[in-house]
Amino acid sequence: MDHLTKHNIISHTQYAFRPNSSTTMTIQTIINQIQKHKDKEELVLALYVDLLKAYDTVEHSKLLDKLRRNFNFNEDTVKFFASYFSNRIQEVHTQHAKSHKRTITHGIPQGSTLSTTFFLLYINDIINIIQQGTVYICRRHHTHNNS
């Protein structure tokens, strides 16, 4: 992550999982931008998207290709990360049954710092979707409901 931020590899509008960044900072930035456009009497359109189970949607081959093409990872490094994703098998056990084993082709294994870094690299080019405007990316703020 140090390398990615030091060399501005991650988009500056990517607030999720970055050092010295937070959901609150993202919201404040968006509010400031809305106010700026309002002061100029410009139209503002905001669209909020919540990616459920986002890490599970990452396709290994696409991530590895992005590491190669977009971030200039050398082939040995890409092969190393490919081995991290390869031969992952899952099965489900219940009290009365067990599923067939299946090879996992999508999803980032969670629980390590690599998880968030891989996800950031995977979605980093999402900012290019909008030609006129800005895409801000932040982590959803979890609230606890005691009812």
Side-chain angles (χ1 to χ4, degrees):
M1 186 53 78
D2 289 340
H3 175 77
L4 299 177
T5 54
K6 179 180 176 183
H7 296 285
N8 295 318
I9 294 171
I10 299 293
S11 164
H12 68 281
T13 60
Q14 167 61 266
Y15 287 81
F17 309 109
R18 288 183 75 153
N20 306 313
S21 186
S22 68
T23 302
T24 304
M25 288 177 68
T26 312
I27 293 169
Q28 188 59 56
T29 301
I30 292 169
I31 290 170
N32 291 344
Q33 288 297 313
I34 291 171
Q35 188 61 50
K36 181 177 111 181
H37 290 288
K38 185 180 170 193
D39 292 345
K40 294 179 181 180
E41 297 183 359
E42 297 174 336
L43 294 175
V44 175
L45 171 66
L47 174 66
Y48 302 90
V49 178
D50 185 359
L51 301 174
L52 296 174
K53 300 190 181 270
Y55 283 26
D56 295 340
T57 65
V58 175
E59 187 176 333
H60 299 161
S61 60
K62 285 184 182 179
L63 173 61
L64 295 170
D65 188 50
K66 284 184 177 197
L67 295 179
R68 226 181 254 110
R69 282 186 304 108
N70 300 10
F71 303 106
N72 297 317
F73 280 53
N74 68 43
E75 198 55 38
D76 287 338
T77 304
V78 173
K79 284 179 184 177
F80 174 75
F81 288 134
S83 72
Y84 178 71
F85 294 120
S86 67
N87 298 319
R88 289 188 175 266
I89 297 172
Q90 73 177 19
E91 64 183 338
V92 177
H93 294 256
T94 66
Q95 197 173 26
H96 303 287
K98 182 169 78 170
S99 71
H100 294 287
K101 291 181 180 179
R102 302 215 185 247
T103 302
I104 300 170
T105 59
H106 289 70
I108 299 171
Q110 296 179 40
S112 77
T113 55
L114 274 180
S115 304
T116 55
T117 304
F118 279 140
F119 188 71
L120 291 180
L121 292 172
Y122 190 71
I123 66 166
N124 193 57
D125 57 358
I126 197 170
I127 63 166
N128 300 327
I129 291 173
I130 305 296
Q131 298 302 313
Q132 293 181 331
T134 306
V135 176
Y136 294 95
I137 305 167
C138 73
R139 194 170 87 171
R140 181 171 59 158
H141 182 73
H142 295 283
T143 57
H144 298 284
N145 186 350
N146 293 331
S147 54

